[in-house]
Amino acid sequence: MKTFTDFMGRKVTLENGYVDNTQHVLIIPKFQGQFLLTNHKKRGLEFPGGKVEAGEALVEAAQRELYEETGGLVANLHFVGTYTVHDKDEPFSKAVFCCNLDRLDQLQDYKETSGPKLVNNIEEIDDKDKSELLKDECIVHLYEEVRENGCQ
């Protein structure tokens, strides 16, 4: 287990396995050699993700959120770990996946986002355009792991 601190000063842990009652997903996708981000209308550029719906498996939620926010269709999805924010009022966990995409569809509506953005690396993005999540120590660590090791 690795430990980090998020932008709000909360303890964050990263575990290699699944955590019970995980209700969120985060996906680090690649398409044609580039990382695929979504442009959240309020927060800025970040990796796609969101809440698991009732009766939905984590993998199904990851595929759905990815498609809704970017139009990306998964070729291969791999579990990376579980990111847990130890908030004193309401702790929550995110199952983190990486994937390569078969294709990127253009959608009429990207839900709460302005759609996809492809980048070679997140370092090329101006900090003012990044969401706080894309600056998060643990998420940056996960991104670097996927960048260095591929999605396996």
Side-chain angles (χ1 to χ4, degrees):
M1 180 184 317
K2 292 186 169 129
T3 304
F4 303 87
T5 302
D6 75 2
F7 66 97
M8 294 179 65
R10 301 174 295 193
K11 177 182 173 184
V12 174
T13 55
L14 176 61
E15 299 180 48
N16 292 333
Y18 287 98
V19 172
D20 289 340
N21 300 317
T22 297
Q23 295 298 313
H24 297 84
V25 293
L26 176 75
I27 309 96
I28 302 174
K30 287 188 86 174
F31 182 63
Q32 297 179 344
Q34 293 183 296
F35 285 93
L36 178 66
L37 303 170
T38 189
N39 192 1
H40 191 278
K41 291 178 182 175
K42 293 181 181 173
R43 293 189 300 256
L45 291 169
E46 61 191 24
F47 289 114
K51 292 185 180 179
V52 178
E53 294 180 353
E56 192 174 44
L58 293 171
V59 168
E60 293 169 330
Q63 292 171 326
R64 177 186 51 75
E65 287 287 350
L66 178 63
Y67 191 77
E68 287 177 357
E69 294 183 2
T70 68
L73 287 170
V74 174
N76 59 349
L77 188 70
H78 299 280
F79 176 74
V80 177
T82 302
Y83 168 103
T84 301
V85 176
H86 298 272
D87 185 271
K88 64 180 179 197
D89 295 326
E90 192 175 341
F92 61 92
S93 297
K94 296 180 185 189
V96 181
F97 297 90
C98 65
C99 69
N100 292 297
L101 301 178
D102 268 335
R103 71 175 201 250
L104 193 57
D105 292 346
Q106 185 170 349
L107 306 180
Q108 294 297 317
D109 180 20
Y110 291 98
K111 306 294 181 190
E112 68 272 6
T113 79
S114 299
K117 170 134 178 104
L118 289 165
V119 298
N120 292 316
N121 57 66
I122 63 172
E123 294 82 4
E124 72 186 41
I125 303 167
D126 194 313
D127 269 359
K128 69 176 177 45
D129 297 327
K130 292 179 184 178
S131 79
E132 290 299 327
L133 298 173
L134 201 58
K135 299 175 196 175
D136 181 274
E137 286 180 19
C138 186
I139 292 174
V140 170
H141 170 81
L142 288 160
Y143 153 76
E144 289 172 352
E145 199 171 279
V146 171
R147 184 180 67 183
E148 291 171 15
N149 301 321
C151 187
Q152 303 174 21

